[in-house]
Every structure is written in structure tokens, then in C-alpha cells.
Amino acid sequence: MSQGIDNRRSVFCLQGVTVFVLMVILGACRNTFVNRQVAAEQEDTQAKTMLQGIWIDAESEDVAFMMKGDTIFYPDTISMPAYFKVVGDSFCVGSQREERYAIEKQTAHVFWFKNANGDYVKLVKSENVSDSLFFIPQKSQPVYMSKLVKHDTIVVYNNERFHCYVTINPTQYKVVTTNYNDDGMATSHVYYDNIIHLSVFQGNRKLFSSNFDKKAYARYVPATFLEGAILGNMKFSHVDNEGFHFDTRLSLPEGSMFYLLDTYVSQKGQVGISLK
């Protein structure tokens, strides 16, 4: 009886030791995996140092970008400077929205990588001092999509005379869009949005007066479109029993995509919106 108990104790002890050893092995494997992950994500500062300077297309000799510190600058005044780093075999651009490009070749004077389309971008470091003029100033300049515009329309309806005023006011509300340059790299462009003031008068009596920004139309267009859109214009269209109708345009800063909406004001001063 005593011998059986001792045997069971031995088995239990052996099982405990086995479990402990397995836990140690699994822990070591996990630590090795984590360490490899950390190493894989670790920034290659030597590669970043080699990227410092101005880079041009190896064939056309067009200026592609300039690396200074941890920032990449583009030669146009619309594209915003962006943070960059080198991790493993990847050239990473952007902080909030990171784009990664596979590095194919890198030396002190040669830099090849694959762009978003999978095409090779072959660059060489510029030795032309005048290429630095492309980066003065180094800050991007947001683009105003319109100037101050005023529309003044007189409308006669049911023998009554009405006056409609529309004023398009440029603001400094920034709209940031993602575009792809000639090298197939994602760049951020900055535009200024507009606020539109609409007033409707019957003689000296004010029927309606208010400002509209693009958020007023959030229910009628997709959120992803609205985020990158500009409130472009509002023009008088017609008047009927429903009220005074104004064609309102929400459009992307670059390209032909837009939404046309009907902003209307009733003769009682109530406003409504519908998608045309």
C-alpha cells in the first residue's frame, strides 16, 4: 500500500516537473518571437542617414523628393511634408496613415523601391545644388478652392418681389486628401473649405438668413466622400410652391466627382435639403 502511494507521488512529481519545463520552453519561445518582432520593427537609422539629401529620377532627372532629418519634402507646394523611416526592407512614409514601400536597392547614392502600383522607382542622389530651389519654401501651401463670391438674385413669385443673397466665404478649415504623385507615392494635399451664407428677403422683411457648411449635408452623402469634399457653390435654381431652390455643389478638390443637392427655403422661412 505504501509503495503504491509512493509511486503515485513520483508520477505526480514527474508530471509537475514536465509541466514546469514545458512552461519554461514556451516562455522562452514566446520571448524569442517577441524579440524578433521588435527587431523587425526597429528603425534602421543607418539607412535613414543614407537617404538624407535630394533624390532625382535616374532617367528623367526630375526631382522626386528631399529627405531632411525624419521628414520627406516634395517639390510641389500642395503636398504636405511627411514623417518617414526605414524598417527592415521597407521605406515607410506617414505617421497616422503609414504607407510602406519595399526597398529593392539602397546605397549612399542609389535608391530603388516599389511604389503603390508595384512599379520600380529608381532614384539617384542629386549632386546639383540648384535642385534645392525646389524646396523653398519647405512648407506646403493650402489651396483656396474659391475666392469671395456673391450672387444677388431678384425673384418675382405670385406678384411678390423677393431678393436672394448667396455669399461664398473662403475659410481656413482644412480638408486633407490623399493623392498619388507621378512616382506612385501617396501624398497628402491640403485645401481650404468654404462656408456659404444664404439670405432671402421679401422687401425689407427677412424670411431666412443662415450659414451652411458641408456638415449640413452629412445625411445626404457618404461620410467618406464628405470628409474629403469641399462645399463649392450655391446658385439660385427656381421658385415654386415648395419655396426658393438653390443648387448646392459638394465636390472633391481634384477630379470630377461631386454631389448636387437642392437647398430650399419656404416662404415661411423653413429650410429643407434633398439630393438631386
Side-chain angles (χ1 to χ4, degrees), residues 156-212:
V156 178
Y157 183 68
N158 288 339
N159 296 321
E160 296 286 346
R161 186 182 177 92
F162 299 88
H163 217 139
C164 303
Y165 300 93
V166 174
T167 305
I168 301 171
N169 297 291
T171 71
Q172 292 198 358
Y173 298 143
K174 293 181 179 180
V175 175
V176 181
T177 64
T178 299
N179 302 272
Y180 289 86
N181 62 19
D182 293 339
D183 291 322
M185 295 181 64
T187 60
S188 296
H189 291 185
V190 181
Y191 302 88
Y192 283 141
D193 202 358
N194 301 311
I195 284 181
I196 298 179
H197 180 80
L198 171 62
S199 295
V200 180
F201 285 81
Q202 183 182 13
N204 293 326
R205 185 169 69 92
K206 180 173 66 177
L207 295 181
F208 179 83
S209 181
S210 184
N211 290 331
F212 292 83

Short mmCIF file of all heavy atoms in Angstrom, two decimals, residues 156-212:
data_model
loop_
_atom_site.label_atom_id
_atom_site.label_comp_id
_atom_site.label_asym_id
_atom_site.label_seq_id
_atom_site.Cartn_x
_atom_site.Cartn_y
_atom_site.Cartn_z
N VAL A 156 -39.49 87.15 -58.73
CA VAL A 156 -40.90 87.56 -58.64
C VAL A 156 -41.76 86.30 -58.63
O VAL A 156 -41.66 85.47 -59.56
CB VAL A 156 -41.30 88.48 -59.81
CG1 VAL A 156 -42.79 88.83 -59.71
CG2 VAL A 156 -40.45 89.74 -59.81
N TYR A 157 -42.59 86.15 -57.60
CA TYR A 157 -43.43 84.96 -57.47
C TYR A 157 -44.77 85.39 -56.89
O TYR A 157 -44.84 86.05 -55.85
CB TYR A 157 -42.76 83.93 -56.57
CG TYR A 157 -43.53 82.64 -56.43
CD1 TYR A 157 -43.66 81.77 -57.51
CD2 TYR A 157 -44.14 82.30 -55.24
CE1 TYR A 157 -44.37 80.59 -57.41
CE2 TYR A 157 -44.85 81.10 -55.10
CZ TYR A 157 -44.96 80.26 -56.20
OH TYR A 157 -45.68 79.09 -56.09
N ASN A 158 -45.87 85.00 -57.57
CA ASN A 158 -47.22 85.40 -57.16
C ASN A 158 -47.31 86.92 -56.97
O ASN A 158 -47.88 87.41 -55.98
CB ASN A 158 -47.65 84.68 -55.88
CG ASN A 158 -47.95 83.21 -56.13
OD1 ASN A 158 -48.20 82.78 -57.26
ND2 ASN A 158 -47.91 82.41 -55.06
N ASN A 159 -46.73 87.62 -57.93
CA ASN A 159 -46.73 89.09 -57.92
C ASN A 159 -46.02 89.68 -56.71
O ASN A 159 -46.20 90.88 -56.41
CB ASN A 159 -48.18 89.62 -57.98
CG ASN A 159 -48.86 89.24 -59.28
OD1 ASN A 159 -48.23 89.26 -60.35
ND2 ASN A 159 -50.14 88.89 -59.20
N GLU A 160 -45.23 88.88 -56.04
CA GLU A 160 -44.44 89.37 -54.92
C GLU A 160 -42.97 89.39 -55.33
O GLU A 160 -42.50 88.53 -56.06
CB GLU A 160 -44.62 88.48 -53.69
CG GLU A 160 -46.03 88.46 -53.13
CD GLU A 160 -46.37 89.73 -52.38
OE1 GLU A 160 -45.44 90.52 -52.08
OE2 GLU A 160 -47.57 89.95 -52.12
N ARG A 161 -42.24 90.37 -54.82
CA ARG A 161 -40.83 90.54 -55.18
C ARG A 161 -39.95 90.07 -54.03
O ARG A 161 -40.12 90.52 -52.89
CB ARG A 161 -40.58 92.02 -55.49
CG ARG A 161 -39.19 92.34 -56.03
CD ARG A 161 -39.10 93.86 -56.22
NE ARG A 161 -37.78 94.27 -56.65
CZ ARG A 161 -37.41 94.40 -57.92
NH1 ARG A 161 -38.29 94.12 -58.89
NH2 ARG A 161 -36.20 94.81 -58.24
N PHE A 162 -39.02 89.19 -54.35
CA PHE A 162 -38.11 88.63 -53.34
C PHE A 162 -36.66 88.89 -53.76
O PHE A 162 -36.36 89.01 -54.95
CB PHE A 162 -38.34 87.13 -53.15
CG PHE A 162 -39.73 86.78 -52.70
CD1 PHE A 162 -40.74 86.57 -53.63
CD2 PHE A 162 -40.02 86.65 -51.36
CE1 PHE A 162 -42.02 86.24 -53.22
CE2 PHE A 162 -41.30 86.31 -50.93
CZ PHE A 162 -42.31 86.12 -51.87
N HIS A 163 -35.82 88.92 -52.75
CA HIS A 163 -34.39 89.15 -53.00
C HIS A 163 -33.60 88.01 -52.35
O HIS A 163 -33.74 87.77 -51.14
CB HIS A 163 -33.96 90.49 -52.39
CG HIS A 163 -32.95 91.21 -53.22
ND1 HIS A 163 -32.97 92.57 -53.43
CD2 HIS A 163 -31.87 90.75 -53.91
CE1 HIS A 163 -31.96 92.92 -54.20
NE2 HIS A 163 -31.28 91.83 -54.50
N CYS A 164 -32.79 87.33 -53.15
CA CYS A 164 -31.99 86.20 -52.63
C CYS A 164 -30.51 86.57 -52.69
O CYS A 164 -30.01 86.98 -53.74
CB CYS A 164 -32.24 84.95 -53.46
SG CYS A 164 -33.97 84.43 -53.53
N TYR A 165 -29.83 86.39 -51.57
CA TYR A 165 -28.39 86.67 -51.49
C TYR A 165 -27.65 85.39 -51.14
O TYR A 165 -28.00 84.69 -50.19
CB TYR A 165 -28.10 87.71 -50.40
CG TYR A 165 -28.77 89.05 -50.59
CD1 TYR A 165 -30.00 89.31 -50.01
CD2 TYR A 165 -28.17 90.06 -51.34
CE1 TYR A 165 -30.62 90.55 -50.17
CE2 TYR A 165 -28.78 91.30 -51.51
CZ TYR A 165 -30.01 91.53 -50.92
OH TYR A 165 -30.62 92.76 -51.08
N VAL A 166 -26.60 85.10 -51.91
CA VAL A 166 -25.71 83.97 -51.61
C VAL A 166 -24.28 84.50 -51.58
O VAL A 166 -23.83 85.15 -52.53
CB VAL A 166 -25.82 82.85 -52.67
CG1 VAL A 166 -24.77 81.77 -52.40
CG2 VAL A 166 -27.22 82.25 -52.66
N THR A 167 -23.58 84.23 -50.48
CA THR A 167 -22.18 84.64 -50.36
C THR A 167 -21.32 83.42 -50.03
O THR A 167 -21.58 82.74 -49.04
CB THR A 167 -21.99 85.70 -49.26
OG1 THR A 167 -22.86 86.80 -49.51
CG2 THR A 167 -20.55 86.19 -49.23
N ILE A 168 -20.34 83.15 -50.89
CA ILE A 168 -19.42 82.03 -50.66
C ILE A 168 -18.17 82.58 -49.99
O ILE A 168 -17.44 83.39 -50.58
CB ILE A 168 -19.06 81.34 -51.98
CG1 ILE A 168 -20.34 80.83 -52.66
CG2 ILE A 168 -18.10 80.17 -51.74
CD1 ILE A 168 -20.11 80.32 -54.06
N ASN A 169 -17.94 82.18 -48.76
CA ASN A 169 -16.84 82.71 -47.95
C ASN A 169 -15.74 81.67 -47.78
O ASN A 169 -15.96 80.62 -47.16
CB ASN A 169 -17.35 83.10 -46.55
CG ASN A 169 -18.38 84.21 -46.61
OD1 ASN A 169 -18.06 85.34 -46.94
ND2 ASN A 169 -19.63 83.88 -46.29
N PRO A 170 -14.55 81.92 -48.32
CA PRO A 170 -13.42 81.02 -48.05
C PRO A 170 -13.07 81.03 -46.56
O PRO A 170 -13.17 82.06 -45.90
CB PRO A 170 -12.28 81.61 -48.89
CG PRO A 170 -12.95 82.47 -49.90
CD PRO A 170 -14.18 83.00 -49.24
N THR A 171 -12.68 79.88 -46.05
CA THR A 171 -12.31 79.76 -44.64
C THR A 171 -10.90 79.21 -44.54
O THR A 171 -10.22 79.01 -45.54
CB THR A 171 -13.26 78.81 -43.90
OG1 THR A 171 -13.00 77.46 -44.33
CG2 THR A 171 -14.72 79.16 -44.17
N GLN A 172 -10.47 78.95 -43.32
CA GLN A 172 -9.21 78.24 -43.11
C GLN A 172 -9.46 76.87 -42.49
O GLN A 172 -8.60 76.30 -41.83
CB GLN A 172 -8.28 79.09 -42.24
CG GLN A 172 -7.79 80.34 -42.96
CD GLN A 172 -6.57 80.96 -42.33
OE1 GLN A 172 -6.08 80.51 -41.30
NE2 GLN A 172 -6.07 82.01 -42.94
N TYR A 173 -10.67 76.33 -42.73
CA TYR A 173 -10.97 74.96 -42.35
C TYR A 173 -10.29 74.04 -43.36
O TYR A 173 -10.60 74.08 -44.55
CB TYR A 173 -12.47 74.70 -42.33
CG TYR A 173 -13.24 75.53 -41.33
CD1 TYR A 173 -14.51 76.02 -41.62
CD2 TYR A 173 -12.69 75.84 -40.08
CE1 TYR A 173 -15.22 76.78 -40.70
CE2 TYR A 173 -13.38 76.60 -39.16
CZ TYR A 173 -14.64 77.06 -39.48
OH TYR A 173 -15.33 77.81 -38.56
N LYS A 174 -9.38 73.22 -42.89
CA LYS A 174 -8.57 72.40 -43.78
C LYS A 174 -9.27 71.09 -44.15
O LYS A 174 -9.86 70.43 -43.30
CB LYS A 174 -7.22 72.10 -43.14
CG LYS A 174 -6.33 73.33 -42.98
CD LYS A 174 -4.99 72.97 -42.36
CE LYS A 174 -4.11 74.20 -42.22
NZ LYS A 174 -2.79 73.86 -41.62
N VAL A 175 -9.15 70.75 -45.42
CA VAL A 175 -9.59 69.46 -45.92
C VAL A 175 -8.35 68.76 -46.47
O VAL A 175 -7.69 69.27 -47.37
CB VAL A 175 -10.65 69.61 -47.03
CG1 VAL A 175 -11.00 68.24 -47.63
CG2 VAL A 175 -11.89 70.29 -46.49
N VAL A 176 -8.01 67.60 -45.90
CA VAL A 176 -6.81 66.87 -46.29
C VAL A 176 -7.22 65.67 -47.14
O VAL A 176 -8.05 64.86 -46.73
CB VAL A 176 -6.02 66.39 -45.06
CG1 VAL A 176 -4.76 65.64 -45.49
CG2 VAL A 176 -5.64 67.58 -44.18
N THR A 177 -6.64 65.58 -48.33
CA THR A 177 -6.94 64.47 -49.23
C THR A 177 -5.66 63.69 -49.54
O THR A 177 -4.56 64.24 -49.47
CB THR A 177 -7.55 64.96 -50.55
OG1 THR A 177 -6.59 65.76 -51.25
CG2 THR A 177 -8.80 65.78 -50.29
N THR A 178 -5.81 62.42 -49.88
CA THR A 178 -4.67 61.58 -50.26
C THR A 178 -4.64 61.43 -51.78
O THR A 178 -5.65 61.07 -52.39
CB THR A 178 -4.75 60.20 -49.61
OG1 THR A 178 -4.74 60.35 -48.18
CG2 THR A 178 -3.59 59.33 -50.02
N ASN A 179 -3.50 61.74 -52.37
CA ASN A 179 -3.33 61.64 -53.81
C ASN A 179 -2.05 60.86 -54.10
O ASN A 179 -1.22 60.67 -53.21
CB ASN A 179 -3.25 63.02 -54.44
CG ASN A 179 -4.49 63.86 -54.16
OD1 ASN A 179 -5.46 63.81 -54.89
ND2 ASN A 179 -4.45 64.65 -53.08
N TYR A 180 -1.89 60.45 -55.35
CA TYR A 180 -0.69 59.72 -55.74
C TYR A 180 0.06 60.54 -56.79
O TYR A 180 -0.52 60.96 -57.79
CB TYR A 180 -1.05 58.33 -56.28
CG TYR A 180 -1.52 57.40 -55.19
CD1 TYR A 180 -2.85 57.38 -54.81
CD2 TYR A 180 -0.62 56.58 -54.51
CE1 TYR A 180 -3.29 56.55 -53.78
CE2 TYR A 180 -1.04 55.74 -53.49
CZ TYR A 180 -2.37 55.73 -53.13
OH TYR A 180 -2.80 54.93 -52.10
N ASN A 181 1.34 60.78 -56.52
CA ASN A 181 2.13 61.59 -57.43
C ASN A 181 2.65 60.75 -58.60
O ASN A 181 2.30 59.57 -58.75
CB ASN A 181 3.27 62.30 -56.69
CG ASN A 181 4.25 61.32 -56.05
OD1 ASN A 181 4.31 60.14 -56.41
ND2 ASN A 181 5.02 61.80 -55.09
N ASP A 182 3.50 61.36 -59.43
CA ASP A 182 3.99 60.67 -60.63
C ASP A 182 4.85 59.45 -60.30
O ASP A 182 5.01 58.56 -61.15
CB ASP A 182 4.81 61.64 -61.49
CG ASP A 182 3.95 62.74 -62.10
OD1 ASP A 182 2.72 62.53 -62.18
OD2 ASP A 182 4.49 63.80 -62.46
N ASP A 183 5.39 59.40 -59.09
CA ASP A 183 6.20 58.26 -58.68
C ASP A 183 5.36 57.17 -58.01
O ASP A 183 5.91 56.18 -57.51
CB ASP A 183 7.30 58.70 -57.71
CG ASP A 183 8.36 59.54 -58.41
OD1 ASP A 183 8.69 59.21 -59.57
OD2 ASP A 183 8.86 60.51 -57.81
N GLY A 184 4.02 57.37 -57.99
CA GLY A 184 3.15 56.37 -57.37
C GLY A 184 3.21 56.36 -55.86
O GLY A 184 2.89 55.36 -55.23
N MET A 185 3.59 57.49 -55.26
CA MET A 185 3.65 57.61 -53.81
C MET A 185 2.43 58.38 -53.30
O MET A 185 2.01 59.38 -53.90
CB MET A 185 4.93 58.33 -53.37
CG MET A 185 6.21 57.59 -53.68
SD MET A 185 7.66 58.51 -53.12
CE MET A 185 7.39 58.51 -51.33
N ALA A 186 1.87 57.92 -52.18
CA ALA A 186 0.73 58.60 -51.58
C ALA A 186 1.20 59.89 -50.92
O ALA A 186 2.13 59.87 -50.11
CB ALA A 186 0.05 57.69 -50.57
N THR A 187 0.57 61.00 -51.26
CA THR A 187 0.88 62.29 -50.65
C THR A 187 -0.40 62.93 -50.15
O THR A 187 -1.49 62.69 -50.70
CB THR A 187 1.58 63.23 -51.64
OG1 THR A 187 0.71 63.47 -52.75
CG2 THR A 187 2.89 62.63 -52.14
N SER A 188 -0.28 63.76 -49.14
CA SER A 188 -1.43 64.46 -48.58
C SER A 188 -1.47 65.89 -49.11
O SER A 188 -0.47 66.61 -49.03
CB SER A 188 -1.36 64.48 -47.05
OG SER A 188 -1.44 63.17 -46.54
N HIS A 189 -2.62 66.28 -49.66
CA HIS A 189 -2.83 67.63 -50.15
C HIS A 189 -3.82 68.35 -49.23
O HIS A 189 -4.76 67.73 -48.73
CB HIS A 189 -3.37 67.63 -51.57
CG HIS A 189 -2.38 67.16 -52.58
ND1 HIS A 189 -2.63 67.17 -53.94
CD2 HIS A 189 -1.12 66.67 -52.45
CE1 HIS A 189 -1.58 66.70 -54.59
NE2 HIS A 189 -0.65 66.38 -53.71
N VAL A 190 -3.59 69.63 -49.02
CA VAL A 190 -4.42 70.41 -48.10
C VAL A 190 -5.16 71.50 -48.88
O VAL A 190 -4.57 72.24 -49.67
CB VAL A 190 -3.57 71.06 -46.99
CG1 VAL A 190 -4.46 71.85 -46.04
CG2 VAL A 190 -2.80 70.01 -46.22
N TYR A 191 -6.48 71.58 -48.64
CA TYR A 191 -7.32 72.60 -49.26
C TYR A 191 -8.12 73.31 -48.16
O TYR A 191 -8.35 72.75 -47.08
CB TYR A 191 -8.28 71.98 -50.27
CG TYR A 191 -7.59 71.22 -51.37
CD1 TYR A 191 -7.26 69.87 -51.23
CD2 TYR A 191 -7.25 71.84 -52.56
CE1 TYR A 191 -6.61 69.18 -52.23
CE2 TYR A 191 -6.61 71.16 -53.58
CZ TYR A 191 -6.29 69.82 -53.41
OH TYR A 191 -5.65 69.14 -54.40
N TYR A 192 -8.55 74.53 -48.47
CA TYR A 192 -9.41 75.27 -47.56
C TYR A 192 -10.86 75.14 -48.03
O TYR A 192 -11.17 75.33 -49.20
CB TYR A 192 -9.01 76.74 -47.50
CG TYR A 192 -7.78 77.02 -46.68
CD1 TYR A 192 -6.84 77.97 -47.10
CD2 TYR A 192 -7.55 76.36 -45.48
CE1 TYR A 192 -5.72 78.24 -46.34
CE2 TYR A 192 -6.42 76.62 -44.72
CZ TYR A 192 -5.51 77.56 -45.15
OH TYR A 192 -4.39 77.82 -44.40
N ASP A 193 -11.74 74.85 -47.09
CA ASP A 193 -13.16 74.70 -47.38
C ASP A 193 -13.85 76.07 -47.38
O ASP A 193 -13.25 77.09 -47.04
CB ASP A 193 -13.79 73.77 -46.34
CG ASP A 193 -15.08 73.14 -46.83
OD1 ASP A 193 -15.51 73.44 -47.96
OD2 ASP A 193 -15.67 72.34 -46.07
N ASN A 194 -15.14 76.07 -47.77
CA ASN A 194 -15.94 77.29 -47.79
C ASN A 194 -17.12 77.19 -46.84
O ASN A 194 -17.58 76.10 -46.51
CB ASN A 194 -16.49 77.55 -49.21
CG ASN A 194 -15.39 77.68 -50.24
OD1 ASN A 194 -14.43 78.41 -50.04
ND2 ASN A 194 -15.53 76.97 -51.35
N ILE A 195 -17.60 78.33 -46.41
CA ILE A 195 -18.89 78.46 -45.73
C ILE A 195 -19.77 79.35 -46.61
O ILE A 195 -19.30 80.36 -47.14
CB ILE A 195 -18.75 79.07 -44.32
CG1 ILE A 195 -18.20 78.03 -43.35
CG2 ILE A 195 -20.09 79.59 -43.80
CD1 ILE A 195 -18.05 78.53 -41.93
N ILE A 196 -21.03 78.97 -46.78
CA ILE A 196 -21.93 79.72 -47.65
C ILE A 196 -23.04 80.36 -46.82
O ILE A 196 -23.69 79.69 -46.00
CB ILE A 196 -22.54 78.81 -48.73
CG1 ILE A 196 -21.41 78.25 -49.62
CG2 ILE A 196 -23.56 79.57 -49.56
CD1 ILE A 196 -21.91 77.32 -50.72
N HIS A 197 -23.21 81.66 -47.01
CA HIS A 197 -24.31 82.38 -46.34
C HIS A 197 -25.45 82.58 -47.32
O HIS A 197 -25.25 83.00 -48.46
CB HIS A 197 -23.83 83.75 -45.84
CG HIS A 197 -24.93 84.51 -45.15
ND1 HIS A 197 -25.31 84.27 -43.85
CD2 HIS A 197 -25.76 85.49 -45.62
CE1 HIS A 197 -26.29 85.07 -43.53
NE2 HIS A 197 -26.60 85.81 -44.58
N LEU A 198 -26.66 82.24 -46.88
CA LEU A 198 -27.86 82.37 -47.70
C LEU A 198 -28.88 83.24 -46.97
O LEU A 198 -29.18 83.00 -45.80
CB LEU A 198 -28.44 80.98 -47.99
CG LEU A 198 -29.82 80.94 -48.66
CD1 LEU A 198 -29.78 81.60 -50.04
CD2 LEU A 198 -30.33 79.51 -48.77
N SER A 199 -29.40 84.22 -47.68
CA SER A 199 -30.46 85.09 -47.13
C SER A 199 -31.55 85.26 -48.17
O SER A 199 -31.28 85.37 -49.38
CB SER A 199 -29.93 86.47 -46.76
OG SER A 199 -28.99 86.40 -45.71
N VAL A 200 -32.81 85.28 -47.71
CA VAL A 200 -33.97 85.52 -48.57
C VAL A 200 -34.81 86.61 -47.91
O VAL A 200 -35.19 86.49 -46.74
CB VAL A 200 -34.80 84.25 -48.79
CG1 VAL A 200 -36.00 84.55 -49.69
CG2 VAL A 200 -33.94 83.13 -49.39
N PHE A 201 -35.09 87.69 -48.68
CA PHE A 201 -35.87 88.82 -48.17
C PHE A 201 -37.10 89.04 -49.05
O PHE A 201 -37.05 88.86 -50.28
CB PHE A 201 -35.03 90.10 -48.17
CG PHE A 201 -34.01 90.18 -47.07
CD1 PHE A 201 -32.79 89.53 -47.20
CD2 PHE A 201 -34.27 90.89 -45.92
CE1 PHE A 201 -31.85 89.60 -46.19
CE2 PHE A 201 -33.34 90.97 -44.91
CZ PHE A 201 -32.12 90.32 -45.04
N GLN A 202 -38.17 89.44 -48.42
CA GLN A 202 -39.35 89.95 -49.13
C GLN A 202 -39.47 91.43 -48.79
O GLN A 202 -39.94 91.78 -47.70
CB GLN A 202 -40.62 89.21 -48.73
CG GLN A 202 -41.86 89.66 -49.48
CD GLN A 202 -43.10 88.92 -49.02
OE1 GLN A 202 -43.10 88.26 -47.99
NE2 GLN A 202 -44.17 89.03 -49.79
N GLY A 203 -39.00 92.27 -49.69
CA GLY A 203 -38.88 93.68 -49.36
C GLY A 203 -37.85 93.85 -48.26
O GLY A 203 -36.70 93.42 -48.39
N ASN A 204 -38.29 94.48 -47.16
CA ASN A 204 -37.40 94.64 -46.00
C ASN A 204 -37.55 93.50 -44.99
O ASN A 204 -36.84 93.46 -43.99
CB ASN A 204 -37.67 95.97 -45.31
CG ASN A 204 -37.28 97.15 -46.19
OD1 ASN A 204 -36.32 97.05 -46.95
ND2 ASN A 204 -38.04 98.25 -46.09
N ARG A 205 -38.50 92.60 -45.26
CA ARG A 205 -38.77 91.52 -44.30
C ARG A 205 -37.86 90.34 -44.59
O ARG A 205 -37.83 89.81 -45.70
CB ARG A 205 -40.23 91.10 -44.38
CG ARG A 205 -40.63 90.04 -43.33
CD ARG A 205 -42.14 89.87 -43.31
NE ARG A 205 -42.63 89.24 -44.50
CZ ARG A 205 -42.81 87.92 -44.62
NH1 ARG A 205 -42.53 87.12 -43.60
NH2 ARG A 205 -43.28 87.41 -45.75
N LYS A 206 -37.13 89.92 -43.57
CA LYS A 206 -36.21 88.80 -43.71
C LYS A 206 -36.95 87.48 -43.52
O LYS A 206 -37.50 87.23 -42.45
CB LYS A 206 -35.06 88.92 -42.72
CG LYS A 206 -34.05 87.80 -42.79
CD LYS A 206 -32.85 88.06 -41.90
CE LYS A 206 -33.24 88.05 -40.44
NZ LYS A 206 -32.07 88.23 -39.55
N LEU A 207 -36.97 86.66 -44.58
CA LEU A 207 -37.58 85.34 -44.47
C LEU A 207 -36.61 84.31 -43.90
O LEU A 207 -37.00 83.42 -43.13
CB LEU A 207 -38.06 84.86 -45.84
CG LEU A 207 -39.17 85.65 -46.53
CD1 LEU A 207 -39.51 85.02 -47.86
CD2 LEU A 207 -40.41 85.69 -45.63
N PHE A 208 -35.35 84.45 -44.29
CA PHE A 208 -34.37 83.43 -43.88
C PHE A 208 -32.97 84.02 -43.99
O PHE A 208 -32.67 84.79 -44.90
CB PHE A 208 -34.46 82.20 -44.78
CG PHE A 208 -33.48 81.12 -44.45
CD1 PHE A 208 -33.74 80.20 -43.43
CD2 PHE A 208 -32.28 81.02 -45.14
CE1 PHE A 208 -32.82 79.21 -43.12
CE2 PHE A 208 -31.37 80.02 -44.84
CZ PHE A 208 -31.64 79.11 -43.82
N SER A 209 -32.10 83.65 -43.04
CA SER A 209 -30.70 84.06 -43.09
C SER A 209 -29.89 83.09 -42.23
O SER A 209 -30.13 82.96 -41.03
CB SER A 209 -30.52 85.49 -42.57
OG SER A 209 -29.17 85.88 -42.65
N SER A 210 -28.94 82.40 -42.86
CA SER A 210 -28.15 81.43 -42.11
C SER A 210 -26.91 81.04 -42.91
O SER A 210 -26.83 81.27 -44.12
CB SER A 210 -28.98 80.18 -41.81
OG SER A 210 -28.25 79.27 -41.01
N ASN A 211 -25.94 80.45 -42.19
CA ASN A 211 -24.72 79.93 -42.81
C ASN A 211 -24.84 78.43 -42.99
O ASN A 211 -25.46 77.73 -42.18
CB ASN A 211 -23.49 80.23 -41.95
CG ASN A 211 -23.15 81.70 -41.93
OD1 ASN A 211 -23.41 82.42 -42.89
ND2 ASN A 211 -22.55 82.17 -40.84
N PHE A 212 -24.20 77.93 -44.05
CA PHE A 212 -24.15 76.49 -44.32
C PHE A 212 -22.68 76.08 -44.46
O PHE A 212 -21.91 76.74 -45.16
CB PHE A 212 -24.88 76.14 -45.63
CG PHE A 212 -26.36 76.32 -45.57
CD1 PHE A 212 -26.93 77.58 -45.79
CD2 PHE A 212 -27.20 75.26 -45.30
CE1 PHE A 212 -28.30 77.75 -45.75
CE2 PHE A 212 -28.58 75.42 -45.25
CZ PHE A 212 -29.13 76.68 -45.48
#
